[in-house]
Amino acid sequence: DNGPCELRISKCDCNSLQDIAYKKFDMPPNASLRMIKLPDVDIDFSREFLLAEIFKEGVVTARNTYFGVVPKEFKWPEKQDFSIAHEKLQGNLFKVSICSKTLLKDLYLNIDFADPDAVFSDNFIDVVPGCSAQIKVRTSKQLSLDEFRNAFSLMHVGAISMK
C-alpha cells in the first residue's frame, strides 16, 4: 500500500522494548528499497533480538523479528507473563484476548480435541511485550464457553525452547 509510513526498529529482551531507529518514509509501490542504516547498537543476541515494525496511520502493517541465534540458544525468560480471556460472541463465534508482558514468539492456538475443524482469524502470531492480540474462532459445532475454554490450548517458541 502506497503512502506515508513509519519504520521503528527496537531491541527487545522479551520483557521490554528499546527503540534504536525511527524513520518516516513514503512506501514505494511494489518495490523494495534499503530504507535505513542501523546505528551501532550494543546487543547481546543470546538474550535480545531486533524487532522491526512498519506503521501506517498508527497501525502496525508489518512486523518482523530478527534473532541472532537459533531459538534453542536464546535465553528465554523463565516466567512467561501473559493472560488469556475467552468470550462467546454469538452462536459458534468466540473471541480470545491475549495480553502479554513477555514475548510470545510464534504463538500457536488450537482447540483440536473439541473441534479440529474450527477456523481461527489468526493462529500463528507474535505477541510483543506490552501488547495484546484478539483472535476470533468460529467452531464447526456448538460449544459452551466452558467447553471452549477447557479445549483451548496454546504453544509458543519460548515454552518449547525452554524444555
Side-chain angles (χ1 to χ4, degrees), residues 14-139:
C14 291
N15 294 304
S16 62
L17 296 170
Q18 178 187 351
D19 290 350
I20 58 173
Y22 175 85
K23 182 176 183 177
K24 289 185 177 188
F25 67 98
D26 284 326
M27 181 67 76
N30 297 322
S32 176
L33 297 175
R34 183 174 140 186
M35 298 186 331
I36 193 168
K37 182 178 187 222
L38 288 178
D40 290 334
V41 176
D42 184 27
I43 187 164
D44 177 359
F45 277 116
S46 69
R47 298 181 182 279
E48 299 172 310
F49 63 93
L50 294 176
L51 174 69
E53 297 172 301
I54 295 178
F55 295 84
K56 184 165 179 102
E57 298 175 359
V59 176
V60 175
T61 60
R63 176 180 285 147
N64 198 3
T65 53
Y66 173 76
F67 286 79
V69 296
V70 295
K72 211 56 166 157
E73 295 173 5
F74 191 79
K75 304 288 190 242
W76 298 95
E78 290 183 27
K79 182 180 180 196
Q80 303 292 310
D81 194 358
F82 62 93
S83 63
I84 302 171
H86 304 88
E87 180 182 347
K88 186 165 186 164
L89 298 177
Q90 63 183 22
N92 294 3
L93 186 61
F94 296 84
K95 181 170 86 172
V96 178
S97 300
I98 302 168
C99 296
S100 186
K101 293 182 181 176
T102 55
L103 173 71
L104 300 177
K105 175 74 177 146
D106 297 338
L107 180 65
Y108 172 72
L109 315 171
N110 79 58
I111 59 166
D112 286 350
F113 295 115
D115 187 355
D117 296 322
V119 176
F120 291 75
S121 62
D122 207 346
N123 72 340
F124 195 73
I125 59 174
D126 293 342
V127 182
V128 297
C131 291
S132 62
Q134 284 75 42
I135 296 96
K136 291 186 179 171
V137 183
R138 183 168 303 281
T139 59

Side-chain angles (χ1 to χ4, degrees), residues 132-148:
S132 62
Q134 284 75 42
I135 296 96
K136 291 186 179 171
V137 183
R138 183 168 303 281
T139 59
S140 66
K141 56 185 174 181
Q142 289 291 330
L143 294 175
S144 70
L145 181 57
D146 284 339
E147 289 171 322
F148 179 83

Side-chain angles (χ1 to χ4, degrees), residues 2-16:
N2 300 2
C5 295
E6 300 169 25
L7 170 67
R8 182 177 70 199
I9 300 176
S10 310
K11 74 176 186 175
C12 182
D13 63 2
C14 291
N15 294 304
S16 62

